[in-house]
Amino acid sequence: MNQLEIHNLAKFYGTKKVLKDISFTVRDGEFVSILGPSGSGKSTLFQMIGGITKPSSGTIYLNGKNINGKRGHISYTPQSASLLPWRTVLENVVLGQEIAGKKDLEKARKMIKRAGLEGFEEAYPHELSGGMKQRVSFIRSMMSPQSLILLDEPFSALDEFTRLDMQQWLLSIWEEHKKSILFVTHNIEEALFLSDRIIVFSSSPTTIKQEFSLPFPRPRDRKILLTDEFLHWKRKIYQSLSGDESEQLSK
């Protein structure tokens, strides 16, 4: 089973404690979002999961294996698309597979078409809009052989309409392939619309304040954004983030 397990993770930079006793899981095919204030260590957590830096204490398991300090086990989509400017759309999409030693150009072309980018296979990143670049970046993650995808605020630079379209598109692709996703965002509505669960981080030194399992069925439709139940959950998450425990809703 493809599962990420974080056990009692902590990170220090000198005497400054950034993360404190972080424990959670992302199950096979699950979409989990992390919400927290700026500076709460979300990017540091991603760096540790990706093996860029090691935790000061605690353990990260992926599919039962300790991956502390080990790279190449996850696929990562950053806030900026980070496409290689000298490679075409098709060449960027298959980069992860190419590194792993096996390319599936037919599948890549199908994914590009599914993303509404048919005809842009030989285009270069500078010829694409911001939304198009993010689609290419996400397809690259879906095409990579790793079972876990980390998404670090991939839509934050997009306008509201493009962002809504990208959220709907991301879900449609994810529901076909069901890779496990850990998603960082500052946007409560985005987290509610996309996720199976939401993990709320405290301010630094960061701990997990609360974890919420969401009741919304899949596939998701943007009409839920206007329902009373959605607004109820939005207030609930907001109150958790704001730290006003006295006003927490009971359900």
Side-chain angles (χ1 to χ4, degrees):
M1 176 178 287
N2 298 318
Q3 179 164 289
L4 174 71
E5 300 174 65
I6 307 292
H7 291 285
N8 306 115
L9 212 63
K11 183 64 178 178
F12 295 83
Y13 288 105
T15 58
K16 180 178 174 59
K17 181 179 284 188
V18 179
L19 296 171
K20 177 185 176 183
D21 195 28
I22 301 293
S23 297
F24 66 89
T25 63
V26 180
R27 294 183 284 270
D28 187 24
E30 192 175 28
F31 198 124
V32 176
S33 288
I34 294 175
L35 281 170
S38 296
S40 60
K42 298 183 294 295
S43 296
T44 300
L45 174 66
F46 270 22
Q47 289 171 4
M48 289 190 288
I49 296 172
I52 296 171
T53 183
K54 291 183 179 180
S56 301
S57 62
T59 312
I60 304 167
Y61 294 99
L62 185 62
N63 307 332
K65 296 181 179 179
N66 185 328
I67 60 168
N68 282 23
K70 298 177 182 179
R71 302 189 185 191
H73 293 276
I74 58 96
S75 182
Y76 176 63
T77 299
Q79 187 171 342
S80 58
S82 298
L83 303 178
L84 298 179
W86 59 89
R87 294 179 71 113
T88 65
V89 165
L90 181 61
E91 290 169 340
N92 268 288
V93 163
V94 299
L95 179 61
Q97 286 191 332
E98 189 176 308
I99 293 170
K102 185 177 180 180
K103 291 192 294 186
D104 188 340
L105 293 176
E106 182 180 355
K107 182 179 178 181
R109 291 182 185 278
K110 288 180 179 178
M111 290 282 284
I112 290 169
K113 182 178 180 179
R114 179 74 176 78
L117 296 173
E118 188 176 19
F120 288 91
E121 292 87 350
E122 302 306 319
Y124 288 89
H126 73 271
E127 300 175 281
L128 308 177
S129 69
M132 293 166 75
K133 289 177 184 177
Q134 285 303 97
R135 290 183 186 221
V136 174
S137 185
F138 183 67
I139 294 169
R140 180 176 60 191
S141 292
M142 293 298 297
M143 288 287 296
S144 296
Q146 294 88 353
S147 61
L148 175 68
I149 300 175
L150 306 185
L151 301 179
D152 191 358
E153 297 188 75
F155 307 142
S156 61
L158 305 178
D159 65 78
E160 189 66 21
F161 293 107
T162 304
R163 186 175 183 138
L164 284 171
D165 285 341
M166 287 296 297
Q167 290 168 3
Q168 194 92 59
W169 174 82
L170 185 153
L171 283 183
S172 69
I173 296 295
W174 171 76
E175 283 166 357
E176 287 182 19
H177 298 271
K178 279 294 177 76
K179 288 193 175 187
S180 303
I181 289 181
L182 185 60
F183 185 91
V184 163
T185 178
H186 284 100
N187 189 297
I188 296 174
E189 284 194 0
E190 182 169 73
L192 284 170
F193 182 60
L194 295 174
S195 310
D196 297 307
R197 285 187 293 126
I198 294 175
I199 297 169
V200 177
F201 275 11
S202 71
S203 55
S204 185
T206 299
T207 58
I208 293 177
K209 293 180 68 176
Q210 282 186 279
E211 186 175 313
F212 299 92
S213 295
L214 303 178
F216 308 117
R218 297 192 184 276
R220 301 271 165 91
D221 188 291
R222 65 179 64 181
K223 291 178 182 177
I224 69 168
L225 298 172
L226 301 177
T227 64
D228 289 340
E229 186 178 24
F230 191 89
L231 294 175
H232 165 86
W233 279 92
K234 185 176 179 181
R235 287 194 299 270
K236 192 170 185 176
I237 302 297
Y238 173 79
Q239 288 171 354
S240 179
L241 281 167
S242 67
D244 192 353
E245 300 296 337
S246 65
E247 292 185 18
Q248 278 286 328
L249 297 179
S250 60
K251 294 182 180 180

